[in-house]
Amino acid sequence: MNNVFKKIFVNGLWSQNASLVQLLGLCPLLAITTNAVNGVMLSLATLLVMIISNVAISSLRKFIPHEIRIPIFILTVASLVTAVDLLFNAFFHDLYLVLGIFIPLIVTNCIVLARVEAFAAKNAVTESAFDGFAMGLGLLWTLFLLGGLREIFAAGQLFSGIEMVLPSLSAIRIFPESYPNVLLFALPPGAFLMLGFLIAAKNFIEDKKA
């Protein structure tokens, strides 16, 4: 991996993490991470849209008039999100019902539009595809960690709802049945608190490295 791709990967995964540094896409991040499965599946949908939209915009960047670039970006992203929405409905219908409006709302997700505008519209196809992958991967691990921690503290288990994706699997019990479920972490205030702890942890690690 040369220096360019290494920088893109580190930026997406850590240095410019969309959730912990740029604080983009907080609506789905806080609303859908009631468990790890929801967070991961929405992240995968977003990752797929980011990769393809970055490739599409990068390929056409020289032909897109600057004055109408934003409508074209939104139209491109909306077309891809519609396809992903239909795929989820067809193959993961139960999960599709749980994720609800948050799949279509990927169209307005600041993460997707920000990377299209800031990176794909100015760089080659290969780098743009990798940027979409790296940023999506950064979103994925953040939503998985946030959803997993909230689920563990709220219900004492992990991977609740995994049967909607892989019917042969079931949730893992982390704490015993006697664990007093902490409702706070299942509610939006708990999401804000947990996100604050994750941001603080990242800043602490950065300070130690410095």
Side-chain angles (χ1 to χ4, degrees):
M1 184 184 294
N2 61 38
N3 290 334
V4 173
F5 287 98
K6 182 178 180 180
K7 182 179 179 181
I8 293 172
F9 186 75
V10 173
N11 280 342
L13 212 64
W14 184 258
S15 301
Q16 295 298 321
N17 185 284
S19 302
L20 301 182
V21 178
Q22 300 183 57
L23 299 180
L24 298 175
L26 291 185
C27 178
L29 185 145
L30 297 174
I32 210 66
T33 54
T34 50
N35 62 54
V37 172
N38 290 353
V40 167
M41 295 307 292
L42 185 66
S43 299
L44 288 175
T46 307
L47 185 151
L48 182 61
V49 170
M50 289 180 72
I51 292 174
I52 302 176
S53 61
N54 272 16
V55 169
I57 297 302
S58 178
S59 302
L60 301 172
R61 69 187 188 281
K62 295 180 181 179
F63 305 100
I64 299 174
H66 183 75
E67 296 78 10
I68 59 170
R69 70 192 189 285
I70 298 301
I72 292 176
F73 294 166
I74 294 175
L75 182 62
T76 303
V77 174
S79 302
L80 295 170
V81 170
T82 301
V84 170
D85 187 61
L86 292 173
L87 287 172
F88 266 71
N89 194 8
F91 295 102
F92 307 108
H93 183 69
D94 291 337
L95 184 64
Y96 172 82
L97 296 177
V98 173
L99 296 179
I101 191 63
F102 290 102
I103 296 178
L105 280 179
I106 293 173
V107 175
T108 59
N109 195 318
C110 299
I111 301 171
V112 181
L113 292 176
R115 298 320 297 171
V116 167
E117 166 72 8
F119 198 95
K122 302 170 184 175
N123 291 276
V125 174
T126 307
E127 287 87 345
S128 297
F130 194 71
D131 177 76
F133 171 75
M135 282 291 172
L137 202 61
L139 178 69
L140 190 150
W141 80 258
T142 307
L143 264 66
F144 169 73
L145 185 59
L146 181 61
L149 290 173
R150 289 182 65 192
E151 183 180 2
I152 290 171
F153 287 115
Q157 61 182 11
L158 188 61
F159 298 122
S160 165
I162 188 67
E163 66 278 357
M164 293 185 289
V165 182
L166 300 170
S168 60
L169 301 180
S170 59
I172 301 172
R173 171 59 61 177
I174 305 297
F175 296 141
E177 294 288 345
S178 58
Y179 172 74
N181 297 344
V182 183
L183 181 61
L184 172 66
F185 290 101
L187 299 175
F192 274 104
L193 285 173
M194 191 59 71
L195 178 62
F197 289 142
L198 292 181
I199 294 173
K202 181 185 183 302
N203 291 339
F204 178 77
I205 294 171
E206 290 286 353
D207 288 344
K208 282 292 184 181
K209 287 170 62 179

